[in-house]
Amino acid sequence: MADIKPVTAVVPIIGFLFTEEIDLAMINQELVVRFGNPSMNSDKISFTHTQYYNAEMGNKIFRQWYAYQKKILPDELAEMKTLTNSIEKKFMNGNNNRKINIDPGYVSLSNLVLASTKNYSHRIYLDQGIYAEVSLLFKHGHFRAMEWTYPDYREPAAIEFFEKVRSLLKK
């Protein structure tokens, strides 16, 4: 029998999909209380990987990732997703459509894990209706996409950002 070892803390990350109407600084004010100040963020890029969100958010959508200072334990991911869902609801427009989609997750030394409210064959149930998905694996010095990894998380800019977050965690 193997000894049970303490769990290692991970870096919380948020992937934002948002319209021009959203001020991410205002959204981050909601998150700072729980996760501390952002420790780094990616560049803001146009989100053109799918039209899935267009009916709800319009045709001009942006993507940006943030990492936060306060480390969390991996089992806090379900709580993180319920928090971000409540923040999304606060910023809905008059038609009850989102102006922002907040995708929480975490970076560990071995992977990037995202939270989802949708079950699927490669997702594991956590708690409170939330599932976890390993989206990137760290192997041979770099993050590698899985067959189910979202296209924007496969982009070189995304991989580079998550590798910087991992380096920060490693220090």
Side-chain angles (χ1 to χ4, degrees):
M1 170 172 55
D3 292 331
I4 296 174
K5 296 176 179 73
V7 176
T8 304
V10 294
V11 176
I13 60 100
I14 301 280
F16 295 105
L17 285 176
F18 58 100
T19 65
E20 289 180 300
E21 304 167 49
I22 288 292
D23 175 9
L24 285 187
M26 186 168 52
I27 302 297
N28 269 314
Q29 287 176 356
E30 303 267 340
L31 297 165
V32 163
V33 174
R34 176 65 180 87
F35 305 112
N37 288 319
S39 55
M40 67 176 67
N41 59 273
S42 71
D43 291 335
K44 176 176 140 180
I45 59 174
S46 292
F47 181 76
T48 57
H49 297 85
T50 178
Q51 294 182 354
Y52 179 84
Y53 298 96
N54 291 28
E56 184 176 24
M57 298 175 75
N59 294 329
K60 196 166 188 181
I61 302 172
F62 300 97
R63 162 66 86 193
Q64 192 167 20
W65 291 279
Y66 278 72
Y68 295 86
Q69 290 177 345
K70 285 185 185 174
K71 292 181 181 69
I72 63 169
L73 295 178
D75 64 357
E76 297 177 65
L77 186 58
E79 174 202 334
M80 192 176 177
K81 179 66 173 167
T82 58
L83 171 65
T84 58
N85 279 0
S86 70
I87 294 169
E88 283 182 12
K89 288 178 184 171
K90 281 186 183 180
F91 293 93
M92 292 178 109
N93 67 22
N95 298 324
N96 283 332
N97 288 327
R98 292 180 294 179
K99 295 186 282 184
I100 188 161
N101 178 37
I102 307 172
D103 295 322
Y106 63 78
V107 169
S108 75
L109 293 179
S110 59
N111 54 31
L112 166 75
V113 177
L114 297 176
S116 178
T117 58
K118 298 173 214 76
N119 189 13
Y120 206 66
S121 59
H122 60 281
R123 294 183 178 150
I124 297 170
Y125 183 73
L126 297 175
D127 192 18
Q128 305 175 58
I130 307 301
Y131 298 83
E133 167 183 301
V134 174
S135 293
L136 299 173
L137 286 179
F138 194 81
K139 190 173 182 181
H140 304 299
H142 295 285
F143 276 116
R144 312 270 180 203
M146 310 297 287
E147 66 180 84
W148 51 78
T149 302
Y150 295 118
D152 49 332
Y153 282 78
R154 295 173 178 265
E155 290 288 335
I159 300 290
E160 180 182 332
F161 175 73
F162 295 125
E163 288 178 358
K164 285 180 184 177
V165 173
R166 183 187 182 277
S167 292
L168 183 68
L169 175 63
K170 193 172 181 179
K171 289 179 186 175

